[in-house]
Amino acid sequence: MISGQDIARASEVLRQGGLVAFPTETVYGLGADATQDEAVASIYAAKGRPQFNPLIAHVPDQAAAERLGDFPQAARDLAAAFWPGPLTIVVNRLPSCPVSLLASAGLPSIALRVPSHPVAQDLLRAFGRPVVAPSANRSGRISPTTADHVRHSIGQGVAMILDGGRTQVGVESTVVSFLDDQPRLLRPGGVSRQQIEAIIGAKLAAAEAGPLHAPGQLESHYAPRAALRLGVTTPDSNEVYVGFGPHHHGPYSLSPEGNLQQAAANLFRLLHEIDAAGAERIAVAPIPDDGLGEAINDRLRRAAAARPQAS
Ligand code: TXA
Ligand code: MG
């Protein structure tokens, strides 16, 4: 579907400071050359994103990541276990790190990720520099899991969209920071807390409240237009119901079999669909909080949180 020529053209767009939306195994990213401040700034513009939200730098392998950040042993182990894959590791920047400080939003740290999607891999290898990429949606909107979502959300702001079909994981990467004594879970995501704790042999500390530890965790980050009510087993007649497992009313279900991986992959797509259909109220079935359920519930809570009317 995507040719070597497409990849070469996308690299050229990045080199010239343009934006390229590309698929990762989690969600689509809105990519820019991480070493060009103006290119990075144009991401914030295209997203309408608050400046204090730092970005993830994507690289093709662990060796490339370790040239940008200072990895303690536990971070190395975690990277070895889950990269390439839906994991982001936050460490201190090395003094030689060429990534724009704007991408770190002024923090001395950097978030690094090695995506496994073959298109992302091809692009990163062809381009040869780190690519910063937030999820390719307008700020405060649902993360895109298809190229069409990207087109509708930020189509005008992006020079090129690499269409790699629907993304597999469907929720963003898990973000773990190694900035203090204990590793911290800053954002639940595609790799579960239990999987990570099994590798590092310790419990993950919770993200601390406040802009320093979880600067991207705005309450409004994952909002559809419709109002959202969670943990509902019996919806009101004016609500569109999103089922899970045995809880089912109407056509929408995150997973009829009650499978959390399937629910994660369907989550944003379903919310997009129901939003696009013009629903005003959405009620969601209770989702168990283990494994990927923690990330799903986290996204749902953000989506349900009170928010300003987005443009
Ligand atoms: O799956 C993903 O992670 C997708 C794909 C495109 O890679 N990207 C993504 O990026 O979700 P974004 O910008 O929507 O979310 C990045 C998260 C935010 O919560 C942000 O606060 C956090 O990573 N983050 C980035 N740099 C950080 C840093 N230096 N310290 C703490 N958190 C950081
Ligand atoms: Mg995002």
Side-chain angles (χ1 to χ4, degrees), residues 47 49 135 137 143 172 187 221-222:
K47 283 205 44 126
R49 156 171 262 186
S135 50
N137 52 284
S143 289
E172 295 92 335
R187 178 178 74 180
H221 202 67
Y222 299 97

Side-chain angles (χ1 to χ4, degrees), residues 22 24 26-30 47 49 53-56 58 86 88 90-91 103-104 107 109-111 113 115 133-137 143 171-175 177 179 186-187 212-217 221-222:
F22 63 97
T24 79
T26 57
V27 299
Y28 275 73
L30 179 61
K47 283 205 44 126
R49 156 171 262 186
N53 212 350
L55 304 174
I56 297 169
H58 298 70
T88 294
V90 177
V91 291
S104 286
L107 302 171
S109 56
I110 184 161
R113 165 152 133 76
S135 50
N137 52 284
S143 289
V171 290
E172 295 92 335
S173 61
T174 305
V175 182
S177 98
L179 297 178
L186 297 189
R187 178 178 74 180
L212 256 183
H213 270 99
Q217 304 298 296
H221 202 67
Y222 299 97

Side-chain angles (χ1 to χ4, degrees), residues 82 85-87 169 172-174 185 188-193 195-196 292:
F82 296 112
L87 170 73
V169 179
E172 295 92 335
S173 61
T174 305
L185 180 63
V191 179
S192 74
R193 166 198 295 278
Q195 287 175 294
I196 291 168
L292 277 182

Side-chain angles (χ1 to χ4, degrees), residues 10-22 29-44 55-59 68 97-104 110 123-124 126-134:
S11 302
E12 190 47 36
V13 168
L14 290 175
R15 221 172 296 285
Q16 289 175 2
L19 300 183
V20 173
F22 63 97
L30 179 61
D33 181 348
T35 67
Q36 298 186 42
D37 287 327
E38 293 90 319
V40 175
S42 69
I43 286 183
Y44 293 106
L55 304 174
I56 297 169
H58 298 70
V59 289
L68 303 176
C97 177
V99 171
S100 162
L101 281 171
L102 182 59
S104 286
I110 184 161
L123 179 64
L124 292 171
F127 183 53
R129 287 184 214 158
V131 170
V132 284

